Amino acid sequence: MRKHIAQAWAFGAILLVPNYADLTSGVGDARMCVPAPLTRIALAHLADMALVALLFAGLLAWLRRLPGWPNVRWVLMALLPVLLFARNLDVMPFDVPGVAVLAVSLIWVGGLTFLILRAPKVAWRLSQAGSSLLAGFAVFALVMTWQLGRATLWRPGPQAFTSAVSGETAHRARLVWILFDELAYRPTFEARDSSLQLPNFDRLRGESTLYTDMTPIGDRTSRVVPGLLLGRVVTDVVYTADDRYLVKTANAWKPFDANATLFGMARQHGLTTSIVGWYIPYCPLLVGVATECYWNNEDAQDRGPTSLSASFAENVWFPLRIMAEQVALPSRAWADVAAWNAEGHAASEEDLRRHALQAVATSQADIVYLHLPAPHPPAFWDRRTGKYALGGSYLDSLDFSDRLLGRILDLLEAQPRWAATTLIVQGDHSWRTKMWRPLPGWSAEDERISHGGQWDPRPVLMIHAAGQRSAEAVATPTSVMYIHDAVVADILVFSK
């Protein structure tokens, strides 16, 4: 009985690894990206593990009573390793081609069949070893259970804080720095689709310097943003269970030093800063450095198919439903995951849009920094109706970004401080077509405008200098790290 229990719990833990891997990994992606406790999410994963284990144990108990159990056992031995192998492809540290999966599966099933027919004693010993091996994986299941239990106790740092901004600011120089996540140069300016109008990007382009050949410093927001803030290329990050943020630069791991960032430099020079951000834990990292801060992330991408805004029952049921659909109705599973991700992303967009507009309208800080989750996929907007909707494309997300930029420009230009305002609009990286193309949410229009997933690495960078009235362009290759240097120059000028 104990062996059967161990096997069932191990099977549930292995089968569900893709759903909870980020929540239990040392990298801490799930923790890094949310400002709220993950207690309900972790408990939902534990509930799923228990439900799968009970179902597996009950099914095997019934099968063992059947007259044909010896033959059924061989079928299970052939299929279960293949199922667990295929299920965990996404969490493997390397890509496994579909051909390799098929080849390994055929070799395993063919080899087992050969042993059953030609060497039954060897096959029997192999089955006994496999049974013991599955039971042995109960140790793995216990470790995962403990880690998920620990995740229920994790508490994030602050989601928001504010301090008074003192002094006369009406005519002081100001920097407004807007990062539109995944804003790509080619579809925005160079090869804009004829169906898309971006009047506000064009409006800003008419009085800004546009950099037409930006060289990226990374393809992950979690690395590009810390790199820009620190002025060093960051190749990896870790967010620990005790909320320590470590960055890897020049092959060395170091704690993230908030005082060494651009916001720390601004504070040292007597400047105030206001931050509204997405995905990066801005407020926990910059307590005591920034003057005002708010961050949020409602996306479900880093916690398996679960959502902070969903009920506990939904977070228990939805991952199990998707897993069943992936076997029986793959196209349905694909559509359901795409819709689930888009709904979470839309919630992020709406919340951060409101806070960004509020910061632009009311903050008197010397530096206003906005990190916005558009046009980052998945698509969440219909450019034809001007409303949130599922099933759109990167072009729809660009339209949303343009409308939001227009609202921001209207607010800025109506303020007395606009004449002394420097405005930076950038993408942290380009549209990662190769990454998104195999995932749910990729649309026919995405396929068309990317010419089959072709990737152009250049993000957008536009800089409007205070009082600039004409368009300029820089065509020479320019590293995204140039933005760090440009902000440093502004800080030094503003503080004089």
Side-chain angles (χ1 to χ4, degrees), residues 163-173 270-272 291 362-366 417:
S163 303
V165 177
S166 59
E168 176 59 41
T169 60
H171 301 290
R172 286 184 62 179
L271 303 178
T272 54
T291 312
T362 63
S363 177
Q364 298 300 314
D366 299 305
R417 211 170 175 183

Side-chain angles (χ1 to χ4, degrees), residues 393-439:
S393 72
Y394 186 79
L395 296 185
D396 293 294
S397 299
L398 280 176
D399 177 80
F400 177 90
S401 304
D402 183 78
R403 293 172 190 247
L404 180 52
L405 177 62
R407 293 281 302 279
I408 292 172
L409 289 175
D410 289 344
L411 290 170
L412 290 175
E413 292 172 358
Q415 297 169 1
R417 211 170 175 183
W418 171 245
T421 296
T422 297
L423 175 60
I424 297 175
V425 172
Q426 68 156 112
D428 52 341
H429 49 71
S430 184
W431 181 27
R432 296 166 295 182
T433 51
K434 293 182 179 179
M435 184 183 85
W436 294 111
R437 192 184 187 212
L439 298 179

Side-chain angles (χ1 to χ4, degrees), residues 106-131:
L106 291 175
I107 290 171
W108 166 251
V109 174
L112 181 61
T113 302
F114 175 82
L115 290 175
I116 294 170
L117 297 175
R118 298 294 184 179
K121 291 184 179 180
V122 175
W124 177 254
R125 286 195 292 269
L126 182 63
S127 72
Q128 293 296 307
S131 177

Side-chain angles (χ1 to χ4, degrees), residues 228-277:
L228 283 177
L229 296 183
L230 293 168
R232 300 191 301 275
V233 173
V234 170
T235 57
D236 206 354
V237 297
V238 169
Y239 197 64
T240 66
D242 57 354
D243 293 354
R244 290 186 302 120
Y245 192 67
L246 308 177
V247 296
K248 187 177 183 182
T249 59
N251 296 318
W253 285 98
K254 293 182 179 179
F256 181 83
D257 183 1
N259 290 308
T261 66
L262 292 169
F263 299 117
M265 181 181 182
R267 182 173 180 270
Q268 293 158 18
H269 284 77
L271 303 178
T272 54
T273 54
S274 179
I275 298 169
V276 175

